[in-house]
Amino acid sequence: MNLRKASVTIHDEIIELYKNKTIEALKAIKFKWAYGKDVDKILDHTQNPVANLYTIFTVSTRELILNAVFNEVTCESLFTDNLVNNARIAKTLSRWEKGLYVDPPTVFLSQHHKNKIEFSDGRHRAKITYLLDHKEIPIAVANCDIPQISNIINLKKT
């Protein structure tokens, strides 16, 4: 079997495409979340209600950002000097611009930061939503964490 090295040129082109768009053009991209009536579009099948592991709620994006731990991900700007960050941002924006659905971020109660939420998946999606001024975001909350997380942020059932 022949293996070929993945091309970073494609990533670079997609990153540059979105870095060069105006904030107005980025805000005009329609976000498509895989939940509710579009639950069949979920890629992470553990989020599907039939798995009974997570419940998807909508929350205030600002409230989520203020009460979450982002570790190395900064919420100051969409693009940074970090290639991984930029690739994840551009990939998500590209999916949405193509009309594809994206899973809600998955959160859990932090064990290391009192009264904080952490992401097991989706920090960059939350960052995009916040920086592009979307007021609400869907999140998948582990069922066992719902009581504690609902004491930190207001969870609205979808």
Side-chain angles (χ1 to χ4, degrees):
M1 171 166 49
N2 290 334
L3 297 177
R4 47 189 176 108
K5 187 176 177 182
S7 171
V8 294
T9 307
I10 295 170
H11 281 152
D12 291 344
E13 289 172 4
I14 293 172
I15 292 168
E16 286 306 309
L17 171 72
Y18 289 99
K19 279 174 85 170
N20 291 326
K21 287 187 182 268
T22 65
I23 193 73
E24 291 80 20
L26 293 173
K27 286 181 177 182
I29 295 172
K30 184 173 176 8
F31 289 20
K32 295 185 131 211
W33 294 105
Y35 79 102
K37 68 177 179 49
D38 298 308
V39 73
D40 60 318
K41 311 284 192 302
I42 288 177
L43 295 178
D44 178 356
H45 296 291
T46 64
Q47 285 188 8
N48 194 306
V50 297
N52 203 30
L53 298 172
Y54 294 93
T55 301
I56 298 176
F57 297 93
T58 56
V59 298
S60 158
T61 306
R62 185 176 193 293
E63 188 178 10
L64 176 64
I65 297 299
L66 291 174
N67 290 288
V69 176
F70 279 83
N71 298 316
E72 81 285 352
V73 175
T74 177
C75 289
E76 301 300 316
S77 63
L78 272 179
F79 294 98
T80 66
D81 59 359
N82 182 290
L83 180 61
V84 173
N85 172 79
N86 295 348
R88 288 183 177 162
I89 298 296
K91 179 182 171 189
T92 301
L93 290 169
S94 175
R95 284 186 60 79
W96 276 325
E97 196 164 43
K98 291 174 182 173
L100 300 174
Y101 287 81
V102 175
D103 291 353
T106 306
V107 301
F108 63 95
L109 184 65
S110 177
Q111 300 300 311
H112 305 290
H113 303 276
K114 186 176 172 77
N115 293 323
K116 289 287 186 179
I117 298 164
E118 291 195 52
F119 294 86
S120 56
D121 188 43
R123 293 174 296 166
H124 294 87
R125 284 170 260 158
K127 171 183 168 171
I128 294 168
T129 305
Y130 175 67
L131 291 173
L132 295 183
D133 293 330
H134 286 243
K135 301 303 178 210
E136 288 191 327
I137 183 173
I139 59 170
V141 180
N143 289 336
C144 61
D145 286 339
I146 292 172
Q148 298 92 335
I149 289 179
S150 68
N151 288 327
I152 299 170
I153 61 174
N154 182 29
L155 301 174
K156 297 177 203 160
K157 189 80 167 131
T158 59

